[in-house]
Amino acid sequence: MSSADPSDQRAGRRGGELVLTLALLAALLAALLPVMRVMKPGGWLLGAVVLATAILAAGFVARRFRLPAVAVSLIEAGVWVAFMTVVFVRHTALLWAVPTPETLRAVPPLVDEAIERITFGAAPLDDHISLAFLIVGSMGLLAIIVDHVVLTARMPLLASIGIVAVSLIPAIAVPREVDVMAFVFLAVAILFLVRAETRSRERPLERASERSAGVPATALGIGAIAVVVAVVATPMLPQPAVRAGAGLGPGPGIDATLQLGDDLRRPEAVEVLRVRTDAQQAPYLRATTLSRFEGGIWEPDQVRTVPLESELGLGRVSVGTGVRVSEYTTSVEVVNLASVWLPVSFPAVSVTGLDGRWAAVPYNRTVISQSGSTQGQAYEVIANVPRPTLEQIRQYSAGGPELRDETTSLPEETPEIVIDLAARVTAGATNDYDRLIAMQRWFRGGEFRYSLEAPVEDGFDGSGAEAVAQFLEQREGYCIHFASAFALMARTLHMPSRIVVGYLPGVATSDVVDDQTVYTVSSSLLHAWPEIYFDNVGWVPFEPTAGLGVPTSFSPASSLPGDPDDPSTSTPGATPTPSTSASADPNRPIDPRDEALPGTPLAGVNPLPTLGVVMLILLLLALPFLVREVRRRQLTAAGRAGDAAAAWTMVQDAAIDVGIAVPAAESPRGFAQRLVDQHGVSAEAMETLVAAIERASYAPSGTRDFWLGDAATDAAATVRAELLAGAPVARRILAVIAPRSLIVRPGSVYAGGAPATR
């Protein structure tokens, strides 16, 4: 039997490894492309490409010196450490490249900041050193891992699955229209990778020329599965939680820390609630309130709770003599909202229909979960709304004896602009209500503009005292800035105030249930507004945000129907209830968020989010089985074409799948005898296979016994079936759904353990 020149063999191996390294780099770059949908291109992209190239190049050079696999990985890790140190934290290192203890201390803040920007930011994220550190570092680590898996362990299929999974992360984080070209590029890169790996290796008992024909179909199957997962399953996934800690489980949540700008700038709006009511207009829905303010942030109220179903519950609404109260019932269906705070109309006196354990907060008339979340709930809220006349509200003072001190406290260093503007804007008013109306009118006038981006661009995207001061100077911002400024200015006038977080009324749909219009509330309607406490009335909401909703106002008694002295007569009044249908109310102010939010308007609810998740999970679970089935069919076809090594590999794979050792030192005849003696397979079938593999091993190059192919392949199928039948049930199931032969090669250290017994 002829043999090739050793120098030619070495040159061929080096060439094969170079091609394989280039194929691996192409696959890594293909996996990096989807990141650009959530991160603006910048220095991170160049850094990731350079680091991945440097690591793979270092591994290629190290292998040329025949260094052990561990040494190769250590060299690559050294390149990673040196690159990350020089590029990101060289000011803490020795000679700009050698890490020091200070270098290690500088890493956690970078990672924490990157995670915070990812959690609270909106895609596409701006290029920032912390995000670049995280992406470039992750790319380098991935390069080290897949380099070892492909070039050392020779498991390109496993590496391909990992690369596909990494490339899916941005698509899952920000569901949008699928970038088909990016995923086609990824699939082609994976095909190239698998093909290059196959050409670069040599197997015992078979020649590369004999087996290379069967690989493209297997690789094509892997690439097709990757494209199916990416193109079909990913778009059906539901939106992720809006903010870490804000929601429980899948779906948007409610942020009670007044970081709503991050939520409102999210690229996609989803339907969260469906609402109908017997009131003339859909109400605002509150989730929680924030009263404590010490200069930095507004903090959610931490107050006593009672079981919702107890006699105390939310309690009744107390008003002064002669103040009318109107009762309204609102039905709410949670479509896609995961929060511990239940959106309710105000002031709620009863909430029914909830599943699980819920507690009432009488102080601010909110409802909070004691187990679970709002997801999937459908409930009914009864609210008793005070309706004082204009004359009555002007007589009442803002304040009361039972209020908590935190509703009036101001930070020690309240900006002068807050105090001065409050005094100047309300200079002509003679009562608290008129002062508040003057402030509301001033904010909603032409001097202020609603903007989601200006606070970020100019560095005052927050609700603290300094952010409020800059907002009052810049006069551009969104609901948080308007609400915070209004509440602080009211406190400088000695009026108790707080901020409410909840949802604006939704958009009217064509659906009607029990003669009531159904309103849809999207995640983009998350909102914040201020409330001021009035004696004899309670907490009164105001709407200072420019362009949003309808400002609060009360009507004089002379303009109201019925007897003004009859408290049972319903009157329009204070709760800011903007019209939600432009066609129904042509004077409705245009919601500035309609133009401020990117993407298309919410057209409806995706009816398949849950089905999409289930399909994706099932597909991922079935992926090993599908890959194994493609490989088995290809081996069968090759075996019937006269490739005895293919039939023999079928038996080796089946043995590995059921936990039988396939050591490299064992001859085919010895392996066959062990299967017959210890595992009860057919001696006749094994004899056919041994004869075929021995004949193929010593026959002249290129010789194929087509007449023996069918017999050897049928024998391999028989042995495979007998091995599966003789294995324990648990092992048999694993052999089907998670076959070890996909990642364990015959003759490898993982396949050469102690022989298994029946």
Side-chain angles (χ1 to χ4, degrees):
M1 183 172 60
S2 62
S3 61
D5 185 88
S7 61
D8 293 338
Q9 291 182 351
R10 287 193 296 271
R13 282 196 297 270
R14 286 197 297 269
E17 288 191 358
L18 177 60
V19 173
L20 185 56
T21 300
L22 295 176
L24 186 55
L25 178 61
L28 288 172
L29 296 182
L32 189 64
L33 289 180
V35 179
M36 289 191 288
R37 71 185 296 160
V38 295
M39 181 85 174
K40 294 179 181 178
W44 64 269
L45 183 58
L46 177 62
V49 173
V50 171
L51 179 57
T53 304
I55 287 174
L56 295 180
F60 175 76
V61 173
R63 288 187 184 91
R64 294 197 61 178
F65 288 95
R66 299 181 179 277
L67 297 179
V70 174
V72 173
S73 296
L74 289 176
I75 291 173
E76 292 176 337
V79 172
W80 182 85
V81 171
F83 184 91
M84 297 296 292
T85 303
V86 170
V87 173
F88 295 102
V89 287
R90 57 182 175 273
H91 60 283
T92 67
L94 183 64
L95 299 178
W96 297 294
V98 181
T100 63
E102 187 179 355
T103 304
L104 300 179
R105 288 191 292 270
V107 171
L110 282 173
V111 176
D112 290 342
E113 184 176 2
I115 294 175
E116 182 178 358
R117 286 178 174 271
I118 293 172
T119 304
F120 300 153
L125 297 171
D126 293 325
D127 188 15
H128 188 269
I129 186 172
S130 61
L131 292 171
F133 178 86
L134 186 63
I135 295 175
V136 174
S138 300
M139 185 66 171
L141 292 176
L142 180 63
I144 295 174
I145 293 172
V146 296
D147 178 80
H148 177 81
V149 171
V150 173
L151 286 159
T152 300
R154 294 291 178 172
M155 293 187 245
L157 298 184
L158 180 61
S160 299
I161 293 173
I163 291 173
V164 170
V166 170
S167 70
L168 285 176
I169 293 175
I172 294 174
V174 183
R176 287 182 183 173
E177 184 178 353
V178 176
D179 187 350
V180 177
M181 292 304 300
F183 286 119
V184 169
F185 179 39
L186 176 63
V188 172
I190 289 176
L191 294 176
F192 181 37
L193 172 63
V194 176
R195 177 69 169 172
E197 193 277 337
T198 303
R199 286 186 175 277
S200 69
R201 57 186 162 87
E202 297 177 356
R203 295 188 182 186
L205 301 180
E206 63 177 294
R207 296 173 179 86
S209 61
E210 295 176 338
R211 293 301 308 277
S212 60
V215 174
T218 302
L220 182 60
I222 302 301
I225 290 172
V227 172
V228 169
V229 172
V231 175
V232 177
T234 299
M236 293 188 293
L237 292 175
Q239 281 280 65
V242 172
R243 175 183 168 97
L248 300 175
I254 295 176
D255 183 357
T257 63
L258 292 193
Q259 298 288 341
L260 301 188
D262 299 314
D263 299 342
L264 296 175
R265 284 185 291 269
R266 294 281 173 176
E268 305 291 341
V270 297
E271 184 180 43
V272 294
L273 305 170
R274 292 180 74 84
V275 180
R276 56 187 177 88
T277 181
D278 59 7
Q280 294 179 351
Q281 296 171 327
Y284 281 47
L285 297 177
R286 69 179 48 216
T288 189
T289 60
L290 303 92
S291 301
R292 182 182 298 276
F293 182 75
E294 297 180 352
I297 59 173
W298 291 85
E299 298 180 6
D301 291 328
Q302 303 292 332
V303 291
R304 179 180 63 93
T305 63
V306 297
L308 180 61
E309 63 276 6
S310 67
E311 293 184 1
L312 294 176
L314 291 166
R316 64 185 185 88
V317 174
S318 298
V319 296
T321 304
V323 176
R324 308 179 187 196
V325 176
S326 298
E327 181 172 290
Y328 299 116
T329 301
T330 301
S331 298
V332 182
E333 176 189 355
V334 178
V335 177
N336 188 19
L337 175 66
S339 171
V340 296
W341 293 290
L342 188 75
V344 295
S345 52
F346 180 78
V349 296
S350 173
V351 180
T352 56
L354 291 170
D355 295 328
R357 296 172 55 241
W358 295 83
V361 185
Y363 173 74
N364 58 9
R365 297 190 177 274
T366 59
V367 178
I368 187 171
S369 173
Q370 294 181 317
S371 63
S373 77
T374 57
Q375 194 68 278
Q377 298 284 350
Y379 53 96
E380 186 176 88
V381 184
I382 298 177
N384 290 344
V385 183
R387 300 297 192 187
T389 64
L390 178 61
E391 292 83 2
Q392 288 173 328
I393 194 71
R394 281 176 168 169
Q395 291 176 0
Y396 301 142
S397 299
E402 300 180 358
L403 293 173
R404 299 165 63 177
D405 292 340
E406 61 189 30
T407 62
T408 56
S409 63
L410 286 166
E412 294 181 1
E413 298 182 359
T414 302
E416 288 297 325
I417 189 174
V418 177
I419 301 173
D420 294 343
L421 284 176
R424 186 191 314 167
V425 172
T426 63
T430 58
N431 58 75
D432 288 343
Y433 172 74
D434 285 346
R435 293 185 183 95
L436 295 168
I437 291 299
M439 287 200 302
Q440 180 179 256
R441 187 181 301 114
W442 179 67
F443 277 113
R444 296 179 65 87
E447 296 186 34
F448 284 84
R449 187 177 73 89
Y450 185 94
S451 172
L452 287 170
E453 305 303 332
V456 177
E457 296 171 357
D458 297 319
F460 61 95
D461 190 17
S463 59
E466 293 302 323
V468 168
Q470 192 166 350
F471 161 70
L472 291 174
E473 293 178 356
Q474 193 86 2
R475 305 206 172 178
E476 287 184 312
Y478 50 94
C479 58
I480 290 303
H481 303 95
F482 286 95
S484 296
F486 190 98
L488 284 182
M489 291 171 66
R491 289 190 181 185
T492 65
L493 301 175
H494 311 291
M495 301 183 194
S497 65
R498 68 186 182 190
I499 292 178
V500 185
V501 174
Y503 287 97
L504 286 164
V507 177
T509 69
S510 58
D511 297 338
V512 176
V513 177
D514 295 337
D515 295 328
Q516 296 175 352
T517 299
V518 177
Y519 297 84
T520 176
V521 180
S522 73
S523 56
S524 65
L525 295 183
L526 194 61
H527 189 49
W529 63 92
E531 287 184 335
I532 309 298
Y533 188 88
F534 277 83
D535 192 23
N536 294 316
V537 177
W539 288 99
V540 177
F542 288 82
E543 183 56 277
T545 303
L548 279 183
V550 173
T552 295
S553 64
F554 292 91
S555 303
S558 59
S559 65
L560 300 178
D563 184 358
D565 296 325
D566 180 9
S568 65
T569 303
S570 175
T571 65
T575 303
T577 52
S579 173
T580 55
S581 173
S583 60
D585 183 5
N587 297 321
R588 171 182 177 261
I590 297 175
D591 187 343
R593 294 175 184 173
D594 295 341
E595 298 181 358
L597 284 172
T600 58
L602 181 67
V605 184
N606 183 359
L608 301 176
T610 303
L611 180 61
V613 173
V614 172
M615 288 180 59
L616 178 61
I617 293 174
L618 292 178
L619 186 57
L620 291 177
L621 291 176
L623 192 58
F625 165 77
L626 296 175
V627 174
R628 181 68 180 87
E629 186 64 16
V630 170
R631 174 178 168 81
R632 186 186 68 79
R633 289 177 179 272
Q634 189 57 47
L635 290 173
T636 299
R640 295 196 182 282
D643 188 352
W648 184 255
T649 301
M650 290 174 61
V651 175
Q652 290 181 313
D653 286 351
I656 292 173
D657 289 339
V658 297
I660 298 174
V662 186
E666 192 172 30
S667 67
R669 189 164 293 277
F671 177 63
Q673 191 63 45
R674 180 159 57 85
L675 292 185
V676 172
D677 295 340
Q678 298 184 12
H679 301 281
V681 302
S682 170
E684 181 181 354
M686 289 307 305
E687 183 62 31
T688 300
L689 284 165
V690 169
I693 193 64
E694 287 180 344
R695 180 179 178 83
S697 298
Y698 300 108
S701 177
T703 301
R704 291 198 180 197
D705 292 320
F706 294 97
W707 62 270
L708 193 58
D710 287 339
T713 304
D714 291 340
T718 299
V719 172
R720 179 178 181 275
E722 291 174 342
L723 289 175
L724 289 174
V729 175
R731 175 71 73 177
R732 194 184 315 156
I733 294 174
L734 285 176
V736 174
I737 65 175
R740 296 175 65 240
S741 58
L742 290 180
I743 58 176
V744 175
R745 298 287 187 185
S748 69
V749 64
Y750 301 104
T757 59
R758 293 186 66 188

